[in-house]
Amino acid sequence: DAKTTQPTSMDCAEGRAANLPCNHSTISGNEYVYWYRQIHSQGPQYIIHGLKNNETNEMASLIITEDRKSSTLILPHATLRDTAVYYCIAVSSPGRRTQGGSEKLVFGKGTKLTVNP
Amino acid sequence: ETGVTQTPRHLVMGMTNKKSLKCEQHLGHNAMYWYKQSAKKPLELMFVYSLEERVENNSVPSRFSPECPNSSHLFLHLHTLQPEDSALYLCASSQEVAGGRRTGELFFGEGSRLTVL
């Protein structure tokens, strides 16, 4: 699976949009981009995923560049409860079994987003 | 509430003790996972069970012994642990679709915080 690079930390004002970047320059054609977040002392929470097209759900929007080498997670109106570590993960075709019988969801260090009042 | 429940939430044990962590999912999923999260380190995948069969063992020491009696329950049996095994242990589940493929959308429990003295 492709390695992803994210800034260590970011700040955002409450009510403003939070734009979290992720670089995945070695991503291959069958790798999806997944975003999770982990609020302090809780388990990670799935946010959104995409392959080529931009995606939107009730939590966030995902913008993937045309060359797929980077993406941006957008929280349109950040709240204090959005303070968390955000993980960007490149995963080979969801559910396709890699050697050993499973896909690997490999979490890096993520971006620590702090939403300030 | 993610539909994945872990007990106990906190556990303190000595190096000679035997204890177990329990995970139960109410989502009808048929794949379950154990992850370990040590302080200031990324999440590490430990074990994957698919349709109650272990399909991934990520070079985990034998002092950790998983058990999956059915698709809703997952245990992690612990014995003769070391202080460096102190960590947050996270359980997750996902759905395996036709053809043995699983989605990359994992649902995590809140974790069991383990301290080994």
Side-chain angles (χ1 to χ4, degrees):
Chain A
D1 292 330
K3 177 180 166 59
T4 62
T5 306
Q6 298 177 254
T8 303
S9 63
M10 292 183 65
D11 284 88
C12 176
E14 187 178 17
R16 305 297 292 269
N19 298 304
L20 292 99
C22 179
N23 286 322
H24 30 80
S25 58
T26 61
I27 198 168
S28 63
N30 66 352
E31 286 183 303
Y32 285 68
V33 178
Y34 274 74
W35 283 84
Y36 279 76
R37 73 179 182 184
Q38 188 173 20
I39 295 170
H40 183 61
S41 296
Q42 296 183 22
Q45 176 190 23
Y46 164 82
I47 300 173
I48 199 167
H49 75 278
L51 182 63
K52 290 190 236 184
N53 300 323
N54 298 336
E55 302 287 345
T56 295
N57 62 21
E58 64 278 4
M59 288 183 70
S61 294
L62 175 60
I63 308 298
I64 302 175
T65 57
E66 195 169 334
D67 63 8
R68 301 211 326 121
K69 293 188 176 185
S70 66
S71 60
T72 301
L73 179 76
I74 301 173
L75 308 178
H77 305 286
T79 71
L80 299 179
R81 287 177 295 181
D82 292 321
T83 293
V85 177
Y86 286 77
Y87 299 99
C88 168
I89 307 165
V91 182
S92 61
S93 182
R96 189 185 78 175
R97 291 193 175 200
T98 60
Q99 186 177 8
S102 73
E103 75 290 320
K104 294 180 190 292
L105 209 64
V106 178
F107 289 79
K109 295 185 179 179
T111 297
K112 174 77 168 79
L113 174 69
T114 303
V115 180
N116 300 305
Chain B
E1 178 59 51
T2 64
V4 179
T5 304
Q6 290 187 243
T7 54
R9 293 293 311 280
H10 299 273
L11 177 63
V12 179
M13 59 187 289
M15 290 191 285
T16 58
N17 292 159
K18 286 186 181 182
K19 297 284 184 184
S20 296
L21 305 180
K22 177 183 175 182
C23 177
E24 182 175 359
Q25 57 96 1
H26 311 276
L27 301 167
H29 290 164
N30 51 21
M32 297 187 77
Y33 309 73
W34 279 116
Y35 279 83
K36 174 185 178 182
Q37 188 171 35
S38 304
K40 301 192 187 301
K41 290 177 69 174
L43 277 81
E44 302 169 64
L45 179 63
M46 299 175 73
F47 301 104
V48 180
Y49 275 82
S50 176
L51 297 174
E52 300 154 42
E53 175 189 350
R54 190 191 310 179
V55 295
E56 181 85 20
N57 178 344
N58 235 14
S59 303
V60 180
S62 59
R63 57 185 183 270
F64 295 91
S65 174
E67 178 190 0
C68 188
N70 55 62
S71 59
S72 299
H73 293 87
L74 185 65
F75 294 88
L76 188 63
H77 303 300
L78 317 168
H79 66 97
T80 59
L81 295 192
Q82 305 297 313
E84 59 264 29
D85 296 322
S86 298
L88 181 68
Y89 289 85
L90 289 154
C91 172
S93 71
S94 70
Q95 182 59 29
E96 181 155 319
V97 297
R101 298 183 303 156
R102 289 183 295 282
T103 74
E105 183 177 348
L106 270 59
F107 291 77
F108 283 83
E110 298 204 347
S112 294
R113 172 77 57 191
L114 173 66
T115 302
V116 181
L117 302 177

